[in-house]
Amino acid sequence: MTDLTSFDGSAPETPILRRSLHDETVARLRDMIIDGRLAPGDRVNEGDVGRRLGVSRTPMREALKTLAAEGLIENVPGRGAVVRAFTRHDVFDMLEALKIIEQEAGRLACARASDADIASLRAVHDRMMELYAVRSRLNYFKLNQDIHSGFARISGNATLLWAHESIQARMKRIRFVGNGSEDKWAAAVAEHEEMIVALEAHDGDALAEVIGRHIDRTWLRVQDALPERAPAAPAEEPLAS
């Protein structure tokens, strides 16, 4: 093994590691699902998509396993890996659970989070607003999700964070759709402005109220884009809502 001890005998620096091929492949596929390049119900052809991303079948298969664990991909007999299509009932249930979790996370964050924790989340919010100003939608969305997860992260409750992340992973495409028009996006941004102000004031009730209102309106923003039932087969016409 190579000795990384420096010439003066001090402890070695930690090597800077490149992002792994697996992580990069997962991230690229996740983005393709979020922004609709891979639509709900689409079969993910390992060879074709792999060539687009410049990776072989092995990292593609491993990435699809990770996204299946997140709930974004499902393995369908006879079809293989398919982008999961959520029904209105699925999404309503997940949003109902997220509302309860995020509201409690907000209350706990206001009571427990340090000034440094809150300043860190404010910095993410400010960067998100910069991306909103230039309408960088996908990058905006990623920071938006970081903020929602951030409330759970700074709540001081690791189990609550775990529960939030497990549901949030499945909701990425749906919440992205919720900002599909300029007026819907602007309304969501205004609600986020209220959230950060309430957090900085350590006002747990105010933060819980705006989080609840935000998620209720997310449902109104996305419900018309969702099918009543999952399609029975890929060749069928979309079911009328």
Side-chain angles (χ1 to χ4, degrees), residues 177-228:
V177 169
N179 293 335
S181 66
E182 191 65 33
D183 58 335
K184 290 179 180 180
W185 195 358
V189 166
E191 289 154 10
H192 267 270
E193 291 275 22
E194 290 184 64
M195 289 180 207
I196 199 66
V197 169
L199 178 65
E200 290 177 325
H202 294 270
D203 190 336
D205 289 340
L207 180 54
E209 187 280 326
V210 69
I211 287 172
R213 178 162 31 97
H214 180 70
I215 293 178
D216 287 344
R217 289 179 178 175
T218 295
W219 168 245
L220 296 178
R221 293 168 189 138
V222 304
Q223 61 179 327
D224 290 341
L226 300 167
E228 291 286 353

Side-chain angles (χ1 to χ4, degrees), residues 119-196:
S120 177
L121 212 55
R122 158 59 82 173
V124 176
H125 172 85
D126 290 346
R127 176 57 182 151
M128 182 187 76
M129 295 303 293
E130 291 172 2
L131 293 170
Y132 173 65
V134 297
R135 300 304 189 268
S136 180
R137 189 178 173 208
L138 182 58
N139 290 323
Y140 164 94
F141 173 78
K142 290 177 181 179
L143 293 187
N144 176 289
Q145 297 299 278
D146 285 346
I147 290 170
H148 284 281
S149 298
F151 295 134
R153 188 177 62 254
I154 67 175
S155 72
N157 187 311
T159 302
L160 188 150
L161 175 60
W162 167 81
H164 184 273
E165 288 184 339
S166 65
I167 299 172
Q168 180 88 326
R170 297 184 175 202
M171 291 294 297
K172 291 182 185 298
R173 169 63 186 164
I174 303 303
R175 296 187 96 163
F176 183 78
V177 169
N179 293 335
S181 66
E182 191 65 33
D183 58 335
K184 290 179 180 180
W185 195 358
V189 166
E191 289 154 10
H192 267 270
E193 291 275 22
E194 290 184 64
M195 289 180 207
I196 199 66

Side-chain angles (χ1 to χ4, degrees), residues 17-171:
L17 302 177
R18 289 186 177 183
R19 191 177 194 183
S20 73
L21 177 62
H22 172 75
D23 290 344
E24 186 64 30
T25 305
V26 169
R28 293 283 295 279
L29 280 172
R30 189 187 292 115
D31 285 352
M32 293 172 75
I33 293 170
I34 290 171
D35 67 16
R37 283 173 286 169
L38 290 172
D42 280 356
R43 175 177 175 270
V44 183
N45 185 297
E46 293 174 6
D48 290 346
V49 177
R51 279 189 291 274
R52 289 163 64 184
L53 298 180
V55 298
S56 66
R57 287 180 181 269
T58 298
M60 275 292 299
R61 286 172 184 158
E62 294 304 312
L64 289 171
K65 288 179 184 178
T66 297
L67 292 174
E70 291 183 6
L72 294 176
I73 292 289
E74 57 184 341
N75 291 305
V76 178
R79 295 192 68 203
V82 174
V83 178
R84 186 166 181 177
F86 293 106
T87 66
R88 288 188 183 186
H89 183 74
D90 294 332
V91 172
F92 183 86
D93 282 356
M94 287 188 286
L95 285 173
E96 189 172 53
L98 273 181
K99 179 179 176 179
I100 295 168
I101 292 169
E102 286 193 21
Q103 284 184 311
E104 185 58 24
R107 291 189 182 97
L108 290 174
C110 286
R112 298 175 176 175
S114 68
D115 290 343
D117 288 334
I118 293 173
S120 177
L121 212 55
R122 158 59 82 173
V124 176
H125 172 85
D126 290 346
R127 176 57 182 151
M128 182 187 76
M129 295 303 293
E130 291 172 2
L131 293 170
Y132 173 65
V134 297
R135 300 304 189 268
S136 180
R137 189 178 173 208
L138 182 58
N139 290 323
Y140 164 94
F141 173 78
K142 290 177 181 179
L143 293 187
N144 176 289
Q145 297 299 278
D146 285 346
I147 290 170
H148 284 281
S149 298
F151 295 134
R153 188 177 62 254
I154 67 175
S155 72
N157 187 311
T159 302
L160 188 150
L161 175 60
W162 167 81
H164 184 273
E165 288 184 339
S166 65
I167 299 172
Q168 180 88 326
R170 297 184 175 202
M171 291 294 297

